[in-house]
């Protein structure tokens, strides 16, 4: 084995030794190189008359990422600048440009005139590409996909979504699951995980036929379109927050924006932490009041209608899965509902993060007002937040990163379909659905959680990844309570419960 090959292995494989068995495991990694991190990557502006010189110096190995009439742009590792002799006349460094200058092939993607499903794996997506892809997916797969608008942003932009389900079968009796991305739109890699769900399901329709017949799979790739607009078209220095208060230049100090994932009305403003703030100048500003932002309202309204039984919210890039409740001073129901599956997901993920292994955690730092805790509190949703392993790397790294995180959404779907559950259809004596309360007598709640059947069809579904027996009563004003006790079950069968008038 040559020295060069041995050195390559050493630099690209992290060695982990397990003392108990004295066995060693090599973990393949991908270096951290965020395109929008000026400490690691530099955007170079190349005058048109210096184009050939730039290509010659870089041995034609550094592609141009954006083109204007008089210049080209290229993202170059900061560590390579000295060896290339950059900057120099005609080749200059520029700072805080919009992300479209860094992303790699944005202009090529927006100029494409035909669409195939595989196009969603070609590059990073702003909200215009997001709209185009979701719309055309719904046209290519009318039996399995429908294009949706779930609300408006602070500045009036549509919040786009896609619903994957078998549209040949009635929605009645189906249960809903949610995948969302880009609450923080400067985390553009998060969007790729949402599209991985779309591509994975639709490219293997036969494999997922059972899921499509039983589930409504909602995917919201960009929750924060205002943040996406400023990050892609104004400056990479912004984009985490939304467009609050909705008028004026988004770059002005009196238009501070709100961190949408600090704005949900559960324990809002209760945490003393630098990562949640009452100050509009903070990047973690939680807004003037809980649920104040139209993006938050849109997600809450969707959850109220669908009563999601499982969800994953994708972010970047702490390399972990957060299990609710994540807010300090909160207590999970007892027995716990969420950690069993969270640990199972963490065990299946083989992350390419160069610094640490992937694991399940309660939180990374003190937060409040986050979507996953709100969904878990309000509906009992098995709601996870997945922090992917890298932040906005060159797109050539993205396929392996996305693949490494794929077990999360696959395991969630499998748990909902095949795992232990209770699944009720609650109605009155005339067959009319009832939004009755379900009170678990062998489950202790600490924050006033209330579990209620879905008003539209009386469906109540709760996944219990490890609980094998439940004891409950069903209550609604004007009706005699109904008591039910028995084991959870794996089969996809709704048990009919009929409430009688008092």
């Amino acid at each position: 084995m040559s020295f060069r090959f041995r050195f390559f292995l050493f630099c690209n494989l992290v060695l982990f030794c397990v003392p108990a068995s004295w066995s060693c495991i090599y973990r393949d990694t991908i270096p951290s190189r965020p395109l929008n991190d000026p400490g690691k990557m530099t955007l170079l502006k190349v005058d048109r008359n210096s184009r050939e010189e730039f290509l010659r110096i870089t041995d034609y190995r550094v592609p141009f990422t954006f083109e204007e009439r008089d210049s080209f742009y290229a993202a170059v590792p900061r560590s390579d600048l000295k060896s290339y002799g950059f900057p120099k006349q005609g080749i200059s460094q520029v700072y805080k440009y919009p992300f479209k200058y860094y992303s790699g092939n944005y202009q090529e993607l927006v100029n494409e005139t035909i669409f195939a499903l595989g196009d969603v794996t070609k590059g990073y997506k702003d909200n215009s590409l997001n709209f185009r892809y979701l719309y055309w997916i719904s046209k290519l797969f009318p039996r399995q996909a429908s294009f949706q608008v779930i609300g408006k942003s602070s500045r009036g932009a549509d919040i786009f979504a896609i619903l994957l389900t078998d549209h040949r079968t009635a929605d009645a009796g189906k249960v809903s699951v949610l995948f969302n991305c880009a609450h923080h739109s400067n985390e553009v890699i998060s969007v790729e995980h949402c599209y991985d769900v779309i591509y994975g399901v639709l490219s293997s329709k036969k494999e997922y036929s059972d899921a499509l017949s039983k589930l409504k799979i909602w995917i919201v790739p960009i929750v924060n379109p205002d943040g996406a607009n400023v990050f892609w078209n104004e400056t990479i220095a912004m984009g985490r927050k939304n467009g609050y208060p909705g008028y004026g230049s988004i770059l002005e100090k009196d238009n501070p924006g709100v961190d949408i994932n600090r704005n949900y009305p559960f324990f809002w403003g209760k945490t003393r932490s630098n990562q949640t703030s009452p100050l509009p100048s903070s990047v973690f500003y939680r807004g003037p009041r809980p649920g104040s932002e139209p993006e938050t309202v849109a997600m809450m309204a969707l959850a109220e209608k669908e009563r999601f039984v499982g969800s994953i919210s994708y972010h970047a890039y702490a390399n972990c899965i957060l299990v609710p409740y994540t807010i300090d001073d909160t207590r999970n129901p007892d027995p716990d509902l969420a950690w069993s599956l969270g640990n199972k997901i963490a065990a299946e993920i083989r992350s390419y993060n160069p610094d640490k292994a992937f694991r399940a955690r309660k939180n990374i730092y003190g937060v409040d007002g986050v979507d996953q805790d709100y969904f878990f509190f309000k509906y009992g949703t098995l709601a996870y937040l997945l922090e992917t392993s890298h932040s906005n790397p060159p797109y050539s790294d993205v396929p392996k990163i996305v693949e490494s995180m794929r077990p999360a959404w696959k395991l969630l779907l499998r748990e909902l379909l095949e795992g232990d559950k209770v699944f009720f259809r609650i109605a009155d004596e005339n067959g009319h659905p009832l939004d009755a309360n379900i009170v678990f007598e062998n489950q202790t709640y600490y924050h006033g959680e209330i579990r209620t059947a879905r008003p539209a069809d009386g469906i109540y579904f709760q996944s219990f990844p490890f609980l094998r027996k439940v004891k409950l009563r069903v209550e609604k004003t004007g009706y005699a309570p109904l008591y039910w006790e028995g084991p959870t079950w794996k089969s996809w069968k709704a048990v009919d419960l009929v409430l009688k008038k008092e």
Side-chain angles (χ1 to χ4, degrees):
M1 184 184 291
S2 69
F3 171 78
R4 179 177 294 179
F5 184 66
R6 291 195 302 269
F7 182 73
F8 172 82
L9 283 177
F10 176 79
C11 291
N12 290 277
L13 297 174
V14 177
L15 180 63
F16 288 88
C17 292
V18 184
S21 62
W22 296 102
S23 63
C24 295
I25 301 172
Y26 285 101
R27 183 167 70 86
D28 195 7
T29 66
I30 295 173
S32 176
R33 44 180 184 162
L35 289 170
N36 55 308
D37 182 352
K40 294 190 175 182
M41 301 293 287
T42 296
L43 187 66
L44 295 178
K45 181 179 181 180
V46 181
D47 294 346
R48 186 165 288 274
N49 58 10
S50 298
R51 177 180 183 274
E52 291 303 319
E53 181 183 13
F54 175 87
L55 293 173
R56 178 180 54 78
I57 291 173
T58 60
D59 198 23
Y60 294 84
R61 291 179 296 182
V62 178
F64 291 119
T65 55
F66 202 82
E67 180 180 353
E68 293 179 332
R69 186 178 66 179
D70 297 323
S71 53
F72 298 86
Y73 295 83
V76 178
R78 189 174 182 84
S79 58
D80 292 347
L81 292 179
K82 186 174 182 180
S83 63
Y84 286 141
F86 299 146
K88 60 183 303 181
Q89 185 174 356
I91 304 173
S92 57
Q93 297 181 56
V94 292
Y95 302 94
K96 298 183 180 180
Y97 269 48
F99 188 73
K100 64 185 178 183
Y101 285 81
Y102 298 79
S103 66
N105 61 346
Y106 178 72
Q107 289 172 306
E108 175 185 334
L109 295 179
V110 297
N111 289 323
E112 288 184 340
T113 57
I114 59 175
F115 174 78
L117 182 61
D119 291 348
V120 304
T121 66
K122 287 182 177 180
Y124 287 120
K125 302 153 190 67
D126 71 343
N127 207 35
S128 64
L129 286 173
N130 181 46
F131 163 75
R132 179 189 300 181
Y133 291 160
L134 297 183
Y135 176 80
W136 282 110
I137 287 169
S138 71
K139 296 301 182 183
L140 282 178
F141 301 93
R143 293 181 177 179
Q144 296 88 14
S146 60
F147 176 79
Q148 306 282 330
V149 176
I150 65 166
K152 297 279 189 180
S153 72
S154 292
R155 291 173 180 261
D158 288 331
I159 303 172
F160 303 120
I162 197 161
L163 170 59
L164 304 183
T165 192
D166 187 343
H167 291 297
R168 295 169 296 183
T169 60
D171 285 348
K174 293 179 181 178
V175 299
S176 299
V177 60
L178 170 68
F179 300 97
N180 73 77
C181 301
H183 267 82
H184 304 140
S185 288
N186 57 344
E187 299 167 3
V188 293
I189 191 174
S190 71
V191 178
E192 302 309 307
H193 293 289
C194 275
Y195 273 91
D196 186 52
V197 181
I198 299 170
Y199 181 82
V201 172
L202 293 180
S203 64
S204 304
K205 298 190 297 297
K206 288 185 178 180
E207 178 184 348
Y208 289 98
S209 61
D210 191 44
L212 290 167
S213 69
K214 296 172 179 175
L215 301 175
K216 296 167 68 179
I217 304 171
W218 283 86
I219 300 138
V220 186
I222 299 179
V223 175
N224 180 8
D226 291 345
N229 180 55
V230 69
F231 187 71
W232 278 87
N233 297 303
E234 299 287 346
T235 173
I236 59 168
M238 300 178 69
R240 179 183 175 91
K241 300 194 288 184
N242 74 348
Y244 171 85
Y247 53 83
S249 170
I250 204 167
L251 302 179
E252 294 176 358
K253 289 184 178 180
D254 60 348
N255 287 277
V258 169
D259 183 336
I260 301 170
N261 211 35
R262 301 293 186 272
N263 190 241
Y264 288 85
F266 178 69
F267 269 65
W268 182 87
K270 300 293 186 182
T271 301
R272 293 184 178 180
S273 167
N274 292 332
Q275 278 72 35
T276 175
S277 176
L279 302 176
S281 59
S282 170
V283 294
F284 305 108
Y285 177 46
R286 56 181 171 252
R289 61 189 179 279
S292 61
E293 302 311 292
E295 299 89 348
T296 316
V297 170
M299 294 296 286
M300 291 166 56
L302 183 63
E304 175 66 19
K305 178 171 72 78
E306 297 294 329
R307 305 296 175 95
F308 295 114
V309 298
S311 76
I312 298 178
S313 181
Y314 287 95
H315 293 254
Y317 66 112
N319 198 46
C320 60
I321 187 166
L322 302 185
V323 181
Y325 289 121
T326 63
I327 299 171
D328 292 334
D329 299 324
T330 54
R331 295 181 66 183
N332 279 26
D334 185 20
D336 181 78
L337 300 177
W339 271 94
S340 176
L341 180 58
N343 283 326
K344 186 185 296 185
I345 290 172
E348 289 295 319
I349 287 179
R350 299 292 180 263
S351 167
Y352 290 104
N353 185 284
D355 301 318
K356 54 191 175 183
F358 192 93
R359 66 188 181 99
R361 303 177 60 167
K362 177 180 174 67
N363 59 27
I364 308 165
Y365 39 65
V367 295
D368 52 27
V370 295
D371 70 324
Q372 67 173 133
D373 282 4
Y374 174 77
F375 295 149
F376 188 53
F377 162 76
K378 185 76 173 176
Y379 307 110
T381 309
L382 291 182
Y384 300 94
L385 188 151
L386 192 146
E387 289 270 350
T388 193
S389 57
H390 291 71
S391 174
N392 307 342
Y395 201 80
S396 57
D397 292 344
V398 169
K400 288 183 71 174
I401 294 168
V402 166
E403 181 185 15
S404 73
M405 300 291 149
R406 191 170 297 151
W409 66 262
K410 287 194 166 191
L411 283 171
L412 179 61
L413 294 184
R414 186 183 307 162
E415 182 66 38
L416 298 176
L417 291 169
E418 302 173 4
D420 288 278
K421 61 183 76 69
V422 294
F423 187 7
F424 297 118
R425 184 185 296 108
I426 304 170
D428 64 15
E429 295 173 281
N430 296 315
H432 299 134
L434 296 175
D435 56 343
N437 291 343
I438 292 84
V439 181
F440 288 93
E441 297 186 351
N442 62 336
Q443 189 93 26
T444 302
Y445 295 94
Y446 299 98
H447 302 293
E449 294 94 330
I450 298 173
R451 300 291 175 249
T452 308
R454 195 162 59 192
D457 53 13
I459 290 294
Y460 180 79
F461 182 107
Q462 180 68 65
S463 179
F464 289 102
F466 77 96
L467 194 63
R468 299 295 175 260
K469 186 175 182 180
V470 294
K471 183 178 181 181
L472 57 85
R473 68 181 184 272
V474 184
E475 300 177 336
K476 184 171 178 62
T477 302
Y479 293 83
L482 185 151
Y483 294 85
W484 190 94
E485 182 175 357
T488 57
W489 59 92
K490 294 182 182 293
S491 64
W492 195 266
K493 181 180 179 181
V495 173
D496 289 309
L497 299 180
V498 178
L499 298 190
K500 298 180 179 180
K501 285 277 190 180
E502 286 186 319

